[in-house]
Amino acid sequence: MSEMEDLHVSDCERCPALVESRSRIVNGTGPADADLLFVGEGPGANEDEQGEPFVGRSGTVLDDGLRDVGLAREDVRITNCVRCRPPENRDPTDEELAHCRGYLETEITRLDPEVIVTLGKVPSEHLLERSVAVTKEAGSLEDVRIGSEPRRVLICVHPAATLYDRSQAETFEAALERAAELAGVDGSSGQTRLDGF
Ligand code: SF4
């Protein structure tokens, strides 16, 4: 089994409400050895339809932000706390987050990323296991144990938060710049210098 296949969940029915509301399981995308891992909350309508995390308008914001710091979507791994779309785009419940946690931890363990970037409140609180004021704390780096390993988590606002609020856009851009710096990318050149990408 390849590393990518190993990270691919194809048959899971642990969350009855999500099994009901999903069209498909949306797995993480990107290299299985990426140095940067972006974690969102869960699939929305576009993601559920296309089977890929962060597509649609949020995905465009993320792609643009990555490009501005010298990265492309293909350079990073992008995944979610839950892999199935919650009904009416509600937040995943604690139980659903717990059900899907093992898949996320396996993905993190396999990637062994330099930095995990949490996109929005739900993934930030899920991985840091505390309440997070995302707008205030965006750009902060925190050490936390995930599974059996210590990890570095960088808090970031959700890309969708930037669509109507310029200050959130600046916060988002600054957090991505920090993520790129931590992973060794020189955004000013527009060139990726990440080993192994
Ligand atoms: S959200 Fe995760 S744990 Fe729940 S049914 Fe989907 S893949 Fe399984």
Side-chain angles (χ1 to χ4, degrees):
M1 185 182 282
S2 75
E3 285 183 332
M4 299 297 272
E5 284 169 340
D6 203 16
L7 295 175
H8 194 86
V9 180
S10 57
D11 182 17
C12 177
E13 302 198 336
R14 287 182 200 163
C15 311
L18 306 197
V19 170
E20 192 69 28
S21 59
R22 76 185 180 199
S23 305
R24 71 201 79 235
I25 295 173
V26 179
N27 284 288
T29 56
D33 60 350
D35 283 349
L36 279 176
L37 172 65
F38 289 83
V39 182
E41 172 183 325
N46 291 313
E47 289 77 16
D48 180 66
E49 195 181 315
Q50 297 180 43
E52 188 173 336
F54 284 95
V55 291
R57 294 186 74 187
S58 293
T60 302
V61 172
L62 180 58
D63 289 346
D64 289 349
L66 288 171
R67 188 198 57 227
D68 289 346
V69 298
L71 287 166
R73 173 177 284 252
E74 297 73 33
D75 298 329
V76 303
R77 189 149 183 107
I78 307 173
T79 196
N80 281 308
C81 294
V82 295
R83 293 174 189 244
C84 303
R85 182 192 182 194
E88 291 156 18
N89 291 335
R90 67 157 168 76
D91 287 352
T93 64
D94 289 347
E95 193 179 27
E96 290 159 354
L97 287 165
H99 284 160
C100 221
R101 175 85 180 198
Y103 299 133
L104 181 59
E105 285 191 9
T106 298
E107 198 163 14
I108 291 169
T109 301
R110 192 61 45 83
L111 257 69
D112 191 21
E114 288 290 322
V115 186
I116 299 169
V117 183
T118 50
L119 297 169
K121 190 173 182 68
V122 169
S124 300
E125 294 191 339
H126 185 51
L127 288 180
L128 295 175
E129 297 186 72
R130 64 173 178 83
S131 68
V132 176
V134 176
T135 306
K136 271 193 191 160
E137 297 187 51
S140 321
L141 190 66
E142 198 160 318
D143 293 325
V144 66
R145 187 161 286 273
I146 299 174
S148 59
E149 295 291 326
R151 301 287 173 193
R152 292 200 295 177
V153 172
L154 183 75
I155 299 168
C156 186
V157 297
H158 192 284
T162 70
L163 290 170
Y164 306 104
D165 184 340
R166 187 58 217 162
S167 69
Q168 296 262 21
E170 287 166 4
T171 304
F172 178 73
E173 288 158 15
L176 286 194
E177 264 174 38
R178 178 128 203 242
E181 275 169 28
L182 290 164
V185 179
D186 180 359
S188 61
S189 69
Q191 295 295 313
T192 299
R193 290 195 282 108
L194 287 174
D195 291 338
F197 272 13

